[in-house]
Amino acid sequence: MAEKRILVTGAVGQIGSELTMALRERHGGDSVVAAGRKTKPRPELRDSGPFEFADVTDREVLDGVIKKYDIGTIYHMAAILSAVGEEKPLLCWNVNMNGLHTVLEAAREHSLEKVICPSSIAAFGPETPRDNTPQETVLRPTTMYGVTKVAGELLCDYYVRRFDVDVRGLRYPGIISSETLPGGGTTDYAVAIYYEAIDKGKYTCFVREDTALPMMYMPDCIKATLDLTDADFSKLKHHSDFNVGAFSFTAGELAAEIRKHIPELEVTYEPDSRQKIADSWPRSLDDSAAREEWGWEPGYDLATMTQDMLEKLRKRHAEGKLYQ
Ligand code: SER
């Protein structure tokens, strides 16, 4: 029997776009269907395999895509992030919760092979221990995004237990990447600083210099996602809520690392409403469950990521397409 196809929702987003390309590399372009709601896909995404405009909260639309392409696995990356979620809490609830529920119900009814759905460090809150945050701990977030992530983890685990659906997920830290800009998150400063360092030589950061958050470079994010996909389900004790860490640094330490390559970089700090969100999240994570259950190990540190980011962005800047 031919291998069933993969659907990536949120495929035009920061993680979805690179995940789709990595999956197409692995399985072949035609085997991976990219879906987005309204943003136009970039040519490499559009031309390397099927693309569908689809609203994932609409069950009929989702069913149509699943049948049309004979989908077996869904990577459900469509979500509203933390900062936009605070501006539009009802939209955040609708997209994140109703979207997830629609995907899980479709997975149950169509007996899909796997669903991979991300959670986030936003599942934690101000009462959670902030350093080396344990896997099992207080989950009382204060953002709507965080509320949807905790409820989402519980809903995913419910589908595993009650309906035997194979659902897996990671609590992603802030993800830093060079291909697609993140949209509307609190950790976006850690990406924007690289772009503006190259473009303007200065950056106004929206969190304080001493703000530390767990972060990860995109190649490690893709690796973690694919490694968890490949893990033997019967050996997993956790399912939808794995802590995964790579490194943690303050905004000031990030600026200092970039200054090793761009000494003239000027950074000023003007905290806005996102500071409060950052202050409610962990500074670092204990990811021993991921390491023990499916062998998680990150490859990049702050120095190697910075080297790679600047190389890629400089090349694009020289071609006049830094922001693509
Ligand atoms: N990067 C996300 C955000 O900042 C966290 O999951 O909202």
Side-chain angles (χ1 to χ4, degrees):
M1 208 171 72
E3 209 181 273
K4 284 184 175 281
R5 292 196 183 86
I6 295 168
L7 171 65
V8 182
T9 72
V12 185
Q14 185 199 12
I15 302 177
S17 57
E18 294 203 44
L19 180 63
T20 302
M21 297 310 288
L23 287 166
R24 284 183 174 162
E25 190 120 312
R26 248 189 166 197
H27 299 274
D30 285 344
S31 300
V32 182
V33 182
R37 198 160 57 99
K38 42 177 208 238
T39 312
K40 273 201 195 145
R42 280 214 305 271
E44 57 159 17
L45 192 68
R46 190 195 56 211
D47 301 339
S48 56
F51 185 89
E52 292 277 340
F53 283 106
D55 176 352
V56 290
T57 61
D58 188 328
R59 180 62 198 276
E60 253 177 62
V61 171
L62 186 62
D63 279 348
V65 174
I66 289 172
K67 283 192 204 129
K68 177 173 170 191
Y69 293 100
D70 192 22
I71 298 295
T73 298
I74 301 183
Y75 288 83
H76 180 46
M77 311 308 286
I80 301 289
L81 295 185
S82 59
V84 172
E86 286 313 282
E87 277 158 31
K88 300 177 183 165
L90 299 187
L91 175 74
C92 181
W93 175 268
N94 184 39
V95 172
N96 296 10
M97 288 317 300
N98 294 337
L100 174 62
H101 189 236
T102 307
V103 166
L104 290 173
E105 266 301 287
R108 179 171 78 87
E109 281 186 26
H110 295 278
S111 303
L112 297 192
E113 289 157 10
K114 259 178 224 183
V115 176
I116 292 87
C117 178
S119 185
S120 157
I121 50 168
F124 303 113
E127 292 146 65
T128 310
R130 293 190 67 202
D131 295 302
N132 209 23
T133 300
Q135 175 71 41
E136 256 64 65
T137 186
V138 183
L139 298 174
R140 294 180 61 81
T142 46
T143 60
M144 178 54 94
Y145 177 64
V147 169
T148 67
K149 287 298 160 187
V150 174
E153 287 180 3
L154 294 172
L155 191 63
C156 289
D157 281 351
Y158 182 80
Y159 270 73
V160 173
R161 213 171 27 245
R162 177 72 174 78
F163 300 121
D164 266 335
V165 181
D166 179 337
V167 193
R168 307 164 184 221
L170 305 156
R171 288 176 180 149
Y172 290 125
I175 304 296
I176 296 169
S177 64
S178 59
E179 299 307 304
T180 307
L181 284 166
T186 300
T187 56
D188 295 11
Y189 66 90
V191 181
I193 189 171
Y194 284 99
Y195 279 74
E196 300 216 1
I198 286 190
D199 197 23
K200 306 194 182 95
K202 56 181 186 198
Y203 179 60
T204 305
C205 184
F206 58 77
V207 295
R208 280 192 322 269
E209 187 171 5
D210 65 352
T211 305
L213 285 170
M215 300 277 177
M216 183 182 280
Y217 194 29
M218 184 62 90
D220 276 335
C221 169
I222 302 294
K223 177 172 175 278
T225 309
L226 298 182
D227 285 356
L228 177 61
T229 305
D230 293 343
D232 179 348
F233 197 66
S234 67
K235 301 231 166 76
L236 299 181
K237 294 193 204 90
H238 298 86
H239 296 103
S240 318
D241 58 1
F242 282 101
N243 282 5
V244 273
F247 40 70
S248 293
F249 47 75
T250 64
E253 285 164 347
L254 174 58
E257 187 62 39
I258 299 174
R259 255 188 227 111
K260 290 183 187 165
H261 304 262
I262 307 175
E264 65 281 10
L265 171 64
E266 273 172 45
V267 182
T268 47
Y269 298 88
E270 289 177 15
D272 66 15
S273 58
R274 288 167 282 188
Q275 181 69 54
K276 205 165 149 215
I277 302 178
D279 288 342
S280 75
W281 290 352
R283 282 185 284 254
S284 61
L285 299 170
D286 173 358
D287 59 5
S288 44
R291 289 175 190 259
E292 279 156 28
E293 289 177 45
W294 47 275
W296 164 241
E297 207 181 325
Y300 283 84
D301 60 21
L302 176 57
T304 49
M305 171 181 74
T306 298
Q307 175 92 29
D308 198 56
M309 275 292 282
L310 292 176
E311 224 172 85
K312 295 209 162 83
L313 295 183
R314 269 184 176 136
K315 189 163 170 276
R316 281 223 308 275
H317 189 241
E319 291 162 359
K321 351 180 250 205
L322 177 61
Y323 290 96
Q324 308 214 36

